[in-house]
Amino acid sequence: MFKCDCCGECCKHVDVKELVIPGTTICKYLTKDNKCSIYDHRPLICNIDKGYELFKDKWSLEEWYEINYTACKELKDMRDK
């Protein structure tokens, strides 16, 4: 299982118009404590474990997690600059 630290950075850089607060890149379902208010019903793009099903022929689960951990780190690095 992907271990998310709930920093909220991925939810602050969303590129899906239907999910964001108008005029921003922030997910409209992100709570003040960086949790998802629709977590049990979140879209596939927000579910790394279920999303793996789309790429399991291309990458191993470990590679898929590493790709996502790398993206997470890059978002945090952008935040910290």
Side-chain angles (χ1 to χ4, degrees), residues 14-70:
V14 177
D15 193 22
V16 179
K17 187 171 119 176
E18 296 78 24
L19 295 177
V20 299
I21 298 168
T24 74
T25 60
I26 300 170
C27 180
K28 61 186 173 185
Y29 301 108
L30 181 65
T31 64
K32 292 180 191 260
D33 62 349
N34 289 328
K35 303 285 170 84
C36 178
S37 65
I38 61 165
Y39 185 82
D40 290 335
H41 306 287
R42 68 196 186 277
L44 183 61
I45 194 169
C46 302
N47 191 323
I48 291 170
D49 289 309
K50 284 187 180 178
Y52 174 65
E53 293 300 313
L54 299 173
F55 298 100
K56 64 183 178 184
D57 294 336
K58 188 171 183 177
W59 296 299
S60 70
L61 183 59
E62 294 77 20
E63 290 170 319
W64 177 244
Y65 283 170
E66 190 55 40
I67 289 165
N68 283 278
Y69 286 127
T70 297

